[in-house]
Amino acid sequence: PAPPAAPPGPAPLAHMSSPSEKRDRHRAIREVIADTAVGSQEELRRLLAGRGWEVTQSTLSRDLHELRLARVPTADGVRYAPTDARPE
């Protein structure tokens, strides 16, 4: 038998997160950055996955921008850290 037809209308956006989920995810990102020298988005994505946060690269990129975290040179190599940028 054929599978049931999809309901009419747009599919739900599974990647959308609630404000509280986003806030919690941002908190997890700040904790990881504070606890671990993270040099790439892929490394950060894996560390977050280890904490139960499965995020896409595009979501992570947006989060880093919103949190004003950037890759900065350090004595130990390039790492993510807070920037001094202020909201416009």
Side-chain angles (χ1 to χ4, degrees):
L13 298 175
H15 65 278
M16 298 297 288
S17 59
S18 70
S20 62
E21 181 181 349
K22 183 176 181 178
R23 184 175 52 247
D24 292 345
R25 188 177 67 244
H26 281 193
R27 182 178 302 118
I29 291 169
R30 286 191 300 267
E31 288 172 359
V32 168
I33 296 296
D35 295 344
T36 308
V38 179
S40 71
Q41 286 188 14
E42 179 58 25
E43 181 182 3
L44 178 56
R45 194 191 64 72
R46 285 194 314 268
L47 291 166
L48 289 169
R51 292 179 175 220
W53 290 99
E54 294 292 336
V55 296
T56 64
Q57 185 277 327
S58 60
T59 296
L60 187 54
S61 181
R62 274 191 302 276
D63 287 345
L64 291 169
H65 178 77
E66 290 170 4
L67 291 168
R68 290 176 169 62
L69 296 170
R71 292 179 74 214
V72 296
T74 70
D76 298 320
V78 178
R79 302 292 182 241
Y80 277 96
T83 66
D84 292 333
R86 299 286 180 240
E88 297 178 3

